[in-house]
Amino acid sequence: MNIIRRHITTIIVLSLIIIAGCYILLRHASRPTEPDISESKLSEIKSMVKLCSLEVRDDVAIKDSINGKWIFAKNTVNGYIRFDLEKLDYEVRNDSIIISLPPEEIEIYESERENSYQVIDTWNQALLDFRPLSSDEETAIKERMARRYRDSFYDKGYVARARASAVGTLSALFSKMDGNISITDPRPAGYRHR
């Protein structure tokens, strides 16, 4: 009789273990899987964001002074709006991946074309001071011009246009590549003060 009870108890315990195991497996299998971004997919996304840059070429008038010396010149400059890929952020919601457009980076370069920088006039504020601008003073004036020109990208709407264009282009690419990826822009006017 003891042997029969032991066998019945063993059969009941094994049945309960099998039922519990099946329940756990079924519960785990029915749970929706969270999408994950692999390193290769993240690299692919970064490559697409990198392609969404905007180039601007302008002739800029420079009228500025340093140490009592004035200059009036014309300078052709190239500006590039790119995106800081190190700050690319994404969020996983249900079965979707939402990518936030990262902050922009603005780079200003003086054009290397011939006659891209032309001095029109220089003068000294002091009446009998005939010292010309030194190359260091001229470089300091060009650096100030580049900072002002960089700030003008926000005022002229270049940054907003670059960000809107990037969202539109990337949304179209992601819809063809993977319908679960979408892009948002938390700062459509840009990250002017960061």
Side-chain angles (χ1 to χ4, degrees):
M1 197 72 163
N2 258 348
I3 294 177
I4 295 177
R5 275 190 197 156
R6 259 193 241 148
H7 284 304
I8 292 176
T9 305
T10 305
I11 291 172
I12 292 173
V13 168
L14 286 175
S15 297
L16 288 174
I17 290 172
I18 291 171
I19 290 171
C22 288
Y23 174 76
I24 290 171
L25 284 173
L26 286 174
R27 191 167 162 216
H28 182 69
S30 66
R31 200 180 294 165
T33 56
E34 290 282 316
D36 190 23
I37 295 186
S38 65
E39 285 300 316
S40 63
K41 184 171 252 183
L42 189 59
S43 175
E44 190 176 331
I45 290 168
K46 284 184 176 183
S47 296
M48 289 194 294
V49 172
K50 186 177 184 178
L51 292 174
C52 292
S53 60
L54 177 72
E55 179 182 358
V56 178
R57 178 172 292 137
D58 272 331
D59 286 328
V60 178
I62 302 171
K63 183 180 178 188
D64 204 348
S65 70
I66 188 167
N67 301 326
K69 301 170 188 174
W70 285 83
I71 186 171
F72 183 59
K74 177 197 79 81
N75 197 6
T76 303
V77 290
N78 299 325
Y80 298 94
I81 301 173
R82 297 183 175 100
F83 296 99
D84 187 349
L85 300 179
E86 297 302 314
K87 295 184 179 172
L88 183 74
D89 194 21
Y90 66 91
E91 180 183 354
V92 177
R93 285 191 206 152
N94 298 327
D95 63 343
S96 298
I97 298 167
I98 298 155
I99 296 170
S100 295
L101 193 65
E104 69 279 351
E105 294 178 324
I106 301 173
E107 299 170 10
I108 307 296
Y109 299 101
E110 187 175 337
S111 175
E112 295 179 3
R113 294 189 326 196
E114 192 175 333
N115 297 323
S116 64
Y117 178 69
Q118 295 176 340
V119 176
I120 297 166
D121 197 8
T122 62
W123 66 94
N124 289 352
Q125 192 169 334
L127 185 58
L128 296 174
D129 188 358
F130 298 108
R131 292 175 298 140
L133 274 171
S134 69
S135 60
D136 289 341
E137 290 170 328
E138 202 166 346
T139 299
I141 285 174
K142 284 182 181 180
E143 287 172 357
R144 279 199 304 237
M145 178 275 306
R147 280 193 301 274
R148 285 192 298 266
Y149 182 63
R150 181 187 185 281
D151 288 342
S152 79
F153 273 42
Y154 294 94
D155 301 330
K156 292 178 179 177
Y158 295 158
V159 170
R161 186 171 29 155
R163 294 184 71 82
S165 174
V167 168
T169 302
L170 292 171
S171 294
L173 286 171
F174 290 146
S175 70
K176 289 177 179 32
M177 183 179 103
D178 186 341
N180 292 335
I181 299 176
S182 61
I183 185 142
T184 63
D185 188 358
R187 302 276 291 269
Y191 290 76
R192 184 175 196 156
H193 302 290
R194 60 177 177 114

